[in-house]
């Protein structure tokens, strides 16, 4: 007997009243069929569903709010999170429920946020678009069919792209709104077709809930080596977090959001959400293969309307074209979406200043410093006269999704690094031989070789020198890698320009970190980079790790 996909706890139990036809927990094929029939997307030649998200091709970070009430007042980092009053949320909720009541058809998915059963949250998502329901069903953890009948949600997301917020009535900035109410356990998303808002809302939810239980939530990818060694990759968009974790020689836990408990690193999700622009079979074969699979959802990827061939190099619709696919589409993914606690942590940065080495070893205090800094750099813009790279600091490598103060996450990380004797590395996937416009992109083959040496433990036996500006340890020779790229200053033709650029970046780091000084130990403050270090540091060798 097939278990029913309609739960005993329906929408009316949550105070949601509608005469709509309710499509409960449809499978992939049914949702694809609905999306195509309703004109929401088209099928590409090899099977994926291709959709457009309209004017919103990324997150609307300035339109996201947390309701400020007795529950959240003392627990949310209000310097980083916009607030909404309970009264404004009440008006927004009333208008959302009125809009839901008028819909002729809705799609409802009951899902888990989190793959470790004792640390997951039950989430119900209500959509007006079939492809949105397919997206979130792909990205979150899908319950077994036998679990659906008894599913009772803890949190609910209502996503209505057709809804238009009223700034005066709802206390928001525009017609687009993402409002999170932790007291009512309700998230309302309106005025945007960008499906990633749902995924990141669940991430923010877990980022709020888990630290209270001592669980470290992380904006990272993670994989497991053949010897059961877990590696965690932190990094902002464009640094290689998804690419480097999809390694044919290692088992993928997940590409974006994880928790670190006493016993495991566990994926918050059951799918992956990868950038598609300029994706190639040569550089990212596992991810590229998903673009030829039924069940993948491609957002803002250009498609020939006649031949249905994809053009992944065409950024006409969006530079941020994306693909959502079940994690099992990656051949060597973890069956349970979790693995042992980590042996290595990697902080990824795409340093467009060309100052960072391709790899460096960090002390635990340096790791906390760089975690709180969350550094990467964007390339020079297209504006006339803008020729310099732009530093980006996103604390914890995910400030936009962190409801609590960064020190909460930083201290959790430092404690877990110490407890597990974890080795920490900084890896630059950005520029070498000069800043953007002068140097060249770090060869991905070199990055992979350095990572492999770090993860298999052999890199710990190398001879290291202290970086004269940042104080972390840089290897002098690694098998299979041109030693000429390991010391970034050596790769610059103009050494004076390197020193000036490095000093500038040191200043940017220190200016950014000033807001954290009162929240960290002196040992972390002492881990800050300093331009004066170059005077006293003459590339002193460091003994290999024990």
């Amino acid at each position: 007997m097939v278990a029913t996909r309609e739960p005993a706890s329906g929408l009316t139990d949550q105070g949601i009243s509608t005469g709509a036809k309710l499509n409960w927990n449809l499978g992939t094929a049914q949702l694809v069929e609905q999306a195509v029939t309703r004109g929401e997307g088209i099928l590409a030649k090899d099977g994926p569903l291709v959709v457009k998200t309209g004017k919103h091709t990324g997150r609307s970070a300035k339109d996201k709010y947390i309701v400020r009430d007795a529950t959240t007042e003392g627990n949310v980092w209000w310097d980083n999170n916009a607030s909404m009053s309970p009264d404004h949320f009440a008006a927004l909720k009333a208008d959302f429920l009125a809009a839901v009541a008028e819909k002729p058809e809705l799609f409802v998915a009951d899902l888990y946020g989190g793959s470790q059963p004792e640390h997951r949250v039950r989430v119900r998502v209500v959509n007006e678009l079939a492809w949105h329901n397919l997206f979130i069903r792909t990205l979150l953890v899908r319950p077994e069919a036998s679990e659906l009948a008894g599913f009772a949600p803890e949190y609910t997301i209502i996503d209505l792209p057709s809804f238009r917020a009223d700034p005066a009535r709802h206390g928001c900035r525009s017609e687009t709104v993402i409002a999170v109410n932790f007291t009512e356990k309700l998230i309302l998303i309106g005025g945007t077709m960008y499906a990633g808002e749902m995924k990141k809302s669940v991430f923010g939810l877990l980022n709020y809930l888990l630290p209270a239980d001592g669980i470290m939530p992380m904006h990272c990818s993670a994989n497991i080596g053949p010897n059961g060694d877990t590696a965690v990759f932190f990094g902002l968009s464009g640094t290689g977090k998804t690419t480097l974790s999809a390694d044919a020689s290692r088992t993928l836990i997940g590409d974006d959001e994880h928790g670190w408990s006493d016993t495991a690193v566990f994926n918050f999700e059951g799918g992956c959400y990868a950038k598609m622009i300029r994706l190639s079979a040569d550089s990212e074969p596992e991810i590229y293969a998903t673009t030829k699979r039924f069940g993948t959802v491609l957002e803002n990827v250009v498609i020939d309307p006649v031949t249905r061939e994809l053009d992944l190099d065409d950024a006409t619709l969006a530079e941020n074209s994306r693909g959502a696919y079940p994690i099992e589409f990656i051949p060597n993914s973890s069956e349970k979406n979790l693995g042992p606690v980590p042996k290595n942590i990697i902080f990824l940065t795409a340093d467009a200043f060309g100052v960072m080495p391709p790899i460096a070893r960090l002390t635990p205090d340096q790791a906390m410093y760089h975690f709180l800094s969350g550094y990467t750099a964007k390339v020079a813009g297209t504006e006339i006269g803008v020729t310099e790279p732009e530093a980006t600091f996103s604390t914890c490598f995910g400030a936009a999704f962190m409801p609590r103060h960064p020190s909460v996450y930083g201290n959790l990380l430092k404690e877990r690094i110490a407890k597990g004797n974890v080795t920490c590395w900084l890896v630059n996937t950005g520029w070498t031989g000069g800043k953007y416009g002068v140097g060249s992109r770090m060869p991905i083959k070199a990055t992979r070789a350095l990572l492999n040496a770090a993860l298999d433990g052999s890199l710990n036996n190398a001879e290291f020198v202290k970086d004269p500006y940042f104080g972390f340890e840089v290897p002098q020779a690694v098998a299979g890698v041109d030693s000429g790229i390991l010391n970034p200053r050596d790769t610059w033709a103009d050494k004076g320009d390197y020193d000036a650029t490095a000093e500038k970046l040191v200043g940017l780091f220190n200016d950014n970190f000033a807001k954290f000084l009162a929240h960290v130990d002196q040992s972390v403050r002492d881990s800050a980079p300093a331009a004066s270090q170059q005077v006293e540091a003459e590339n002193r060798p460091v003994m290999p790790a024990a």
Side-chain angles (χ1 to χ4, degrees), residues 344-512:
N344 290 277
I345 288 176
I346 296 95
F347 299 114
L348 298 168
T349 180
D351 177 28
F353 289 89
V355 168
M356 295 291 189
I359 196 165
R361 188 171 61 193
L362 310 178
T363 67
D365 287 316
Q366 288 171 339
M368 184 172 178
Y369 182 92
H370 284 275
F371 178 67
L372 290 176
S373 296
Y375 166 71
T376 193
K378 298 177 182 177
V379 298
T382 55
E383 269 183 68
I384 295 174
V386 179
T387 58
E388 289 294 309
E390 177 186 345
T392 299
F393 295 95
S394 182
T395 185
C396 307
F397 294 95
F401 322 116
M402 301 296 171
R404 297 182 183 270
H405 192 274
S407 60
V408 172
Y409 307 106
N411 285 320
L412 268 172
L413 182 71
K414 188 177 177 182
E415 289 168 12
R416 292 204 170 274
I417 287 172
K419 185 177 180 180
N421 193 27
V422 181
T423 306
C424 301
W425 307 90
L426 182 139
V427 171
N428 175 22
T429 60
W431 273 256
T432 182
K435 67 186 74 170
Y436 171 78
V438 178
S440 58
R441 195 72 191 255
M442 195 73 68
I444 191 166
K445 288 185 178 179
T447 300
R448 286 201 181 276
L450 291 167
L451 268 178
N452 289 339
L455 299 183
D456 68 19
S458 61
L459 188 53
N460 281 316
N461 298 319
E463 181 180 292
F464 290 77
V465 298
K466 284 189 180 293
D467 182 271
Y469 291 97
F470 285 84
F472 40 49
E473 299 170 358
V474 180
Q476 293 303 282
V478 180
V481 178
D482 178 6
S483 296
I485 72 168
L486 295 177
N487 185 329
R489 191 174 189 271
D490 292 344
T491 69
W492 284 52
D494 186 336
K495 303 298 190 281
D497 190 19
Y498 173 84
D499 292 335
T501 304
E503 288 184 17
K504 176 182 178 180
L505 186 56
V506 165
L508 293 172
F509 262 88
N510 287 322
D511 289 346
N512 172 73

